[in-house]
Amino acid sequence: AGKTTLLNMLGGMDTVSSGEIYFHGKEVSAFKKRELVEYRRHDVGFVFQFYNLIPTLTAKENVEIAAQLCKNPIPAEEALSMVGLSERTGNFPAQLSGGEQQRVMLARALTQETPCLILDEPTNHLDITYQLQIMDLVSSRHLTVLAAIHDLNIAAMYCDKIAAMKHGELVAFGRPEEVLTEERIWELYHVKAEVFPRKDGRPAVIF
């Protein structure tokens, strides 16, 4: 609980009731409306938990909307090709599966070429092939990525740091092997799990 709210505040979508948020030395939590618009255009790309695609526009046109607002965007067709949708650029959202719509959202965020990407459950509605492809793509972009991820093994494989939350409170923060312990998983989810190291030292979780 609280993950989406936290991401929305970091992305300038919601305001804080207390505390401060800084990005590159600037206090985002003190930004005026116009400054927040510029922040969302040029500093952070956002992939929402729900699709937020315009139903009357094609996949390409949905991506182009974001591209038109940016200084040096990636072309829409290139961004869609990056997420494996080069054959679906002319399709409307209703003609796309849930996973394809999720990938259009990611292409729309990637086209902005922002230094930070915020992903709210980016692998939802995706089969395992596309989950791994999308995470490989995101991790190869040399961006700062903040993501809400429910799959502990995906988080362990791709995240440099993990923040664990419970009832809206931060209960742990650190490297995957520091956070994803059997004791912590029990504390968070009340399920028994076995955790062992992979060859690369990152933890693997078995339920």
Side-chain angles (χ1 to χ4, degrees), residues 1 17 55 63 65 109 112 116 136 140 152-153 156 187 199:
S17 56
V63 176
I65 284 182
Q112 295 177 246
C116 180
D136 283 341
S140 72
L152 300 185
N153 283 300
E187 175 190 351
K199 291 182 179 179

Side-chain angles (χ1 to χ4, degrees), residues 22-206:
Y22 286 88
F23 182 84
H24 283 200
K26 298 179 181 179
E27 188 182 349
V28 176
S29 48
F31 280 177
K32 304 297 183 184
K33 185 178 294 185
R34 181 63 187 174
E35 292 173 304
L36 285 173
V37 170
E38 292 299 308
Y39 172 66
R40 291 192 293 264
R41 281 183 182 177
H42 306 302
D43 293 318
V44 292
F46 210 118
V47 178
F48 297 91
Q49 185 174 349
F50 303 103
Y51 307 126
N52 289 337
L53 297 175
I54 300 172
T56 56
L57 299 182
T58 65
K60 180 182 176 183
E61 290 167 339
N62 266 283
V63 176
E64 284 176 335
I65 284 182
Q68 291 169 3
L69 300 174
C70 306
K71 295 176 181 176
N72 299 297
I74 295 174
E77 290 186 349
E78 181 181 338
L80 286 164
S81 178
M82 290 164 62
V83 298
L85 290 176
S86 57
E87 303 298 319
R88 307 286 270 166
T89 60
N91 289 82
F92 293 95
Q95 299 171 314
L96 302 172
S97 69
E100 288 171 333
Q101 292 184 54
Q102 185 84 346
R103 284 185 278 153
V104 173
M105 287 291 299
L106 179 57
R108 195 164 73 178
L110 289 173
T111 194
Q112 295 177 246
E113 281 278 76
T114 57
C116 180
L117 198 58
I118 297 178
L119 311 176
D120 194 356
E121 300 186 27
T123 56
N124 262 16
H125 314 292
L126 300 179
D127 61 33
I128 187 63
T129 299
Y130 281 116
Q131 286 184 36
L132 297 176
Q133 286 183 5
I134 291 303
M135 294 305 294
D136 283 341
L137 170 62
V138 169
S139 62
S140 72
R141 298 295 297 171
H142 305 293
L143 305 170
T144 296
V145 179
L146 305 173
I149 298 175
H150 282 288
D151 188 316
L152 300 185
N153 283 300
I154 291 288
M157 289 169 63
Y158 290 97
C159 296
D160 297 315
K161 295 288 182 67
I162 292 177
M165 297 183 69
K166 184 177 183 179
H167 304 312
E169 298 285 337
L170 182 68
V171 297
F173 179 74
R175 296 191 305 273
E177 63 271 22
E178 296 171 334
V179 175
L180 296 180
T181 63
E182 294 173 3
E183 296 77 15
R184 181 68 38 68
I185 292 170
W186 175 260
E187 175 190 351
L188 292 170
Y189 304 106
H190 293 289
V191 295
K192 291 184 178 180
E194 294 183 32
V195 180
F196 60 91
R198 304 174 190 269
K199 291 182 179 179
D200 61 2
R202 290 174 176 265
V205 182
I206 296 178

